[in-house]
Amino acid sequence: MRYFAEKIVFPNKNTLDCIVIPIFEQYKFSKIFKKINDISNNYILNILEKNNIKGKINQNIILYKIPNVLCNTIIIVGCGIKNSLNREKNKLIINNIINIIKKYSFKEIYWYLTDLKIDNCKLYWNIRDTINIIEDNIYSFDKFKKQKLFFKSKIKFVITDNNKNVYFSAIEHGKAINLGIKKAKNIANLPPNICTPKYLSLKTEKLTKQYNNISVEIINEKMMQKIGMNAYLSVSKGSKNKPYISIIKYQTNNKLQPIVLLGKGVTFDSGGISLKPSKNMEDMKYDMCGAAAIYGTIHAIAKLNLSLNVIAILACGENMPSSNAYRPSDVIKTMSGITVEIKNTDAEGRLILCDILTYIKKYNPKYVIDIATLTGACVIALGNNISGLMSNNKRLSKKIIKASLEADDRVWELPINDKKYFDQLKSNIAHLVNSNNGVAGAITAACFLSKFATKYKWAHIDIAGTAWYYVNNQAMASGRPINMLCQFLINQTFHNK
Ligand code: BES
Ligand code: ZN
Ligand code: MN
């Protein structure tokens, strides 16, 4: 879809294609409803009464050729009790409208819902939510299908008062962020025979041609060997697909300390020698969703030309069993010098991430945020709608929580500052174990990472539960937490000023 903000006054001169207007329960009407109903001499109200339509959520009606109203189609949308909307209900309402709109091919849709009063949600956020919900609804992954779906309608948010600038900035942000989300979904949904670490490195190299201010550096297996990234390297040893790291530098201002974003990009996690059970193993193509989110975020911020320095790192590899694979009981010397006893080859994400956490010290980062589908334990703890947040810095985690509440892309902070968690990481023969079958798996994984995330402010976001969801029993990438990350970065541009 395409999005615009426009001012129109009824009765208008030209015939409009389609307008969407809200009604509320107890016959409390919006201004626009009253106006159009008046022009039609109560024709609309009569129809609503005859059909017992009271404005409940999920009660919608499509009307054509209303007397005196120059509009082909009017979609009247039930919005429940006036002034009792929240973001969740608004999502239901918008999905209802889009499910109607998808069946037709309106050229232009005049949208009268962005000025609805919603709890804890200002106009700006209503517009951004609306664009998110629409884009999420119409997304389909049809690369391998004959039939491809396109929705090219123009959605025109009708400006009702003089807050043009709010509309313009919300539309600009919403469009860029949803471009990023779509790019991330498109790579995350790819099968692992196509979306290999090499494929992702080529994808990131193309960014330099698409945007200004971006340069890309690729680290291949040989270079990793040279600098001693042995933990990273061990994960891909069993795979014929070689590991690649993409370092994307987005730089607009050489005075600023960079924010480093790091994404786990395991293109398929079979578990390795500690093989996973076959049930749902196919979902492990999504074990690169952290990297996909970072990739999408770069698209969004480059599109918005945010005044920031961001170093975005996609840490890619494939975890497979073979006679070359690393094994439980191997001892590995990480880039930092810390030695790790492998107890479980399925705890591979932390091995890939730990060497990068060492590598990035040279950038003197302002903040480091890693995004990873790291632990099944995080799904047990928080479920499928809230990502896990763990950090070594209270101020950073507060900023992330703020952005997540604003963007309605939720996170919940879990503690890592307790010695008992670190006790679980002790090894008899090395400095650390990579896993110990213990309790609080999401937290102990973060504690492992924290041993490497020294000398800078760091946060870890476990998206194992939120990176994808199921529709009709089929998995689909969610694009999370791009909305939150972009909001964090947008907020960061204000701090720079
Ligand atoms: N990629 C998985 C985590 C995962 C599991 C994400 C399910 C999404 C859904 C990760 O590499 C993994 O296998 N973690 C193990 C860690 C354990 C061996 C300590 C896990 O969670 O079981
Ligand atoms: Zn994994
Ligand atoms: Mn694993």
Side-chain angles (χ1 to χ4, degrees):
M1 300 274 189
R2 290 176 291 162
Y3 302 89
F4 303 89
E6 201 172 298
K7 194 162 186 166
I8 57 165
V9 186
F10 269 95
N12 52 306
K13 288 183 210 124
N14 305 312
T15 302
L16 303 179
D17 205 13
C18 172
I19 68 173
V20 185
I21 60 177
I23 52 167
F24 303 99
E25 282 181 62
Q26 298 154 346
Y27 293 103
K28 287 200 175 141
F29 295 120
S30 54
K31 262 191 217 154
I32 178 69
F33 181 90
K34 278 184 204 144
K35 197 151 199 178
I36 293 185
N37 185 52
D38 283 352
I39 301 171
S40 75
N41 291 326
N42 272 330
Y43 175 90
I44 303 180
L45 189 54
N46 278 330
I47 291 184
L48 296 186
E49 280 171 348
K50 271 189 199 137
N51 290 283
N52 203 21
I53 289 186
K54 295 203 169 114
K56 288 196 170 129
I57 292 177
N58 294 333
Q59 272 191 330
N60 313 299
I61 188 166
I62 310 181
L63 302 175
Y64 305 97
K65 303 280 172 209
I66 312 282
N68 310 326
V69 181
L70 287 177
C71 184
N72 293 328
T73 309
I74 300 186
I75 302 174
I76 295 179
V77 189
C79 293
I81 293 166
K82 201 172 183 178
N83 297 335
S84 80
L85 273 179
N86 56 30
R87 285 170 106 167
E88 214 179 310
K89 287 185 198 163
N90 193 39
K91 189 169 180 174
L92 281 178
I93 292 166
I94 292 167
N95 275 315
N96 279 337
I97 301 168
I98 296 306
N99 291 337
I100 296 171
I101 285 174
K102 278 202 294 194
K103 296 183 194 141
Y104 305 88
S105 47
F106 302 113
K107 259 198 209 136
E108 293 182 328
I109 299 150
Y110 287 86
W111 189 278
Y112 275 93
L113 282 90
T114 42
D115 64 338
L116 293 188
K117 235 190 170 173
I118 299 170
D119 289 350
N120 295 321
C121 182
K122 295 204 174 110
L123 175 64
Y124 169 87
W125 282 105
N126 188 349
I127 298 162
R128 264 185 61 179
D129 281 3
T130 303
I131 297 175
N132 286 344
I133 296 160
I134 295 176
E135 290 301 308
D136 213 43
N137 184 310
I138 64 175
Y139 177 82
S140 68
F141 183 64
D142 44 23
K143 191 178 163 76
F144 303 111
K145 288 195 170 173
K146 268 195 189 145
Q147 217 183 7
K148 311 217 186 262
L149 293 171
F150 288 106
F151 299 101
K152 284 193 199 150
S153 308
K154 289 182 184 166
I155 305 266
K156 297 197 162 178
F157 299 124
V158 179
I159 303 177
T160 45
D161 37 31
N162 285 327
N163 33 28
K164 256 198 337 220
N165 291 335
V166 177
Y167 275 87
F168 290 155
S169 79
I171 290 173
E172 192 199 5
H173 291 165
K175 276 162 61 174
I177 290 165
N178 278 285
L179 170 82
I181 290 174
K182 196 166 162 178
K183 295 279 183 192
K185 286 177 176 175
N186 281 345
I187 58 169
N189 285 323
L190 282 173
N193 59 327
I194 294 175
C195 182
T196 59
K198 173 90 190 166
Y199 175 92
L200 288 173
S201 75
L202 295 173
K203 215 60 193 165
T204 58
E205 279 183 319
K206 286 194 184 130
L207 287 167
T208 56
K209 300 196 181 80
Q210 291 167 294
Y211 301 103
N212 297 327
N213 307 323
I214 287 187
S215 61
V216 175
E217 194 187 311
I218 307 291
I219 301 184
N220 63 22
E221 198 182 25
K222 275 216 174 100
M223 297 157 161
M224 291 181 216
Q225 281 162 353
K226 232 184 207 163
I227 54 178
M229 288 185 155
N230 299 313
Y232 194 121
L233 282 165
S234 56
V235 170
S236 287
K237 272 172 69 186
S239 172
K240 75 172 177 30
N241 292 313
K242 298 293 166 212
Y244 285 91
I245 302 169
S246 295
I247 301 182
I248 307 163
K249 290 185 181 157
Y250 170 81
Q251 188 166 34
T252 60
N253 180 338
N254 52 27
K255 281 190 210 121
L256 295 172
Q257 256 180 298
I259 295 168
V260 174
L261 304 176
L262 164 59
K264 173 180 173 184
V266 174
T267 56
F268 190 72
D269 178 14
S270 67
I273 298 292
S274 314
L275 194 65
K276 285 183 182 293
S278 52
K279 190 172 180 287
N280 291 336
M281 198 202 269
E282 68 273 21
D283 288 350
M284 285 299 118
K285 73 168 186 178
Y286 289 117
D287 212 19
M288 41 64 76
C289 279
I294 301 296
Y295 172 76
T297 300
I298 283 291
H299 273 280
I301 65 170
K303 196 95 195 160
L304 291 173
N305 218 355
L306 294 189
S307 163
L308 285 174
N309 290 344
V310 175
I311 298 178
I313 304 182
L314 278 63
C316 303
E318 188 181 42
N319 188 16
M320 296 292 265
S322 98
S323 67
N324 294 320
Y326 79 132
R327 5 169 154 57
S329 79
D330 280 355
V331 173
I332 290 157
K333 188 170 183 184
T334 64
M335 188 182 176
S336 69
I338 296 174
T339 54
V340 179
E341 180 188 3
I342 304 303
K343 289 283 190 183
N344 188 326
T345 63
D346 199 11
E348 85 296 343
R350 64 199 76 182
L351 297 173
I352 283 187
L353 297 176
C354 75
D355 277 344
I356 310 250
L357 290 172
T358 304
Y359 182 80
I360 57 180
K361 282 180 192 164
K362 67 174 190 178
Y363 297 126
N364 182 27
K366 181 168 187 206
Y367 301 122
V368 176
I369 303 177
D370 80 69
I371 312 287
T373 47
L374 204 65
T375 65
C378 191
V379 195
I380 306 286
L382 297 174
N384 295 109
N385 198 38
I386 302 186
S387 309
L389 163 65
M390 286 140 270
S391 176
N392 64 9
N393 183 274
K394 201 80 218 150
R395 283 183 57 191
L396 174 58
S397 64
K398 270 194 179 156
K399 285 179 203 289
I400 291 173
I401 291 166
K402 176 173 179 280
S404 91
L405 289 171
E406 287 169 337
D408 201 16
D409 183 352
R410 294 184 64 189
V411 300
W412 194 264
E413 187 169 11
L414 301 171
I416 58 168
N417 57 350
D418 192 293
K419 187 179 165 295
K420 283 275 187 288
Y421 297 129
F422 288 92
D423 288 347
Q424 288 189 51
L425 297 173
K426 283 184 180 156
S427 161
N428 285 338
I429 60 168
H431 296 128
L432 298 172
V433 291
N434 78 326
S435 139
N436 84 329
N437 292 318
V439 292
I443 293 172
T444 52
C447 289
F448 181 94
L449 295 178
S450 74
K451 292 278 189 189
F452 301 84
T454 54
K455 308 217 170 82
Y456 49 75
K457 296 170 184 141
W458 158 81
H460 156 65
I461 296 172
D462 194 331
I463 56 165
T466 53
W468 70 92
Y469 59 92
Y470 296 90
V471 240
N472 309 323
N473 264 324
Q474 292 278 316
M476 263 289 156
S478 67
R480 289 183 63 184
I482 293 177
N483 206 7
M484 179 279 283
L485 271 182
C486 289
Q487 192 52 36
F488 171 84
L489 294 171
I490 290 170
N491 291 346
Q492 214 45 51
T493 64
F494 294 109
H495 292 289
N496 291 338
K497 277 175 193 154

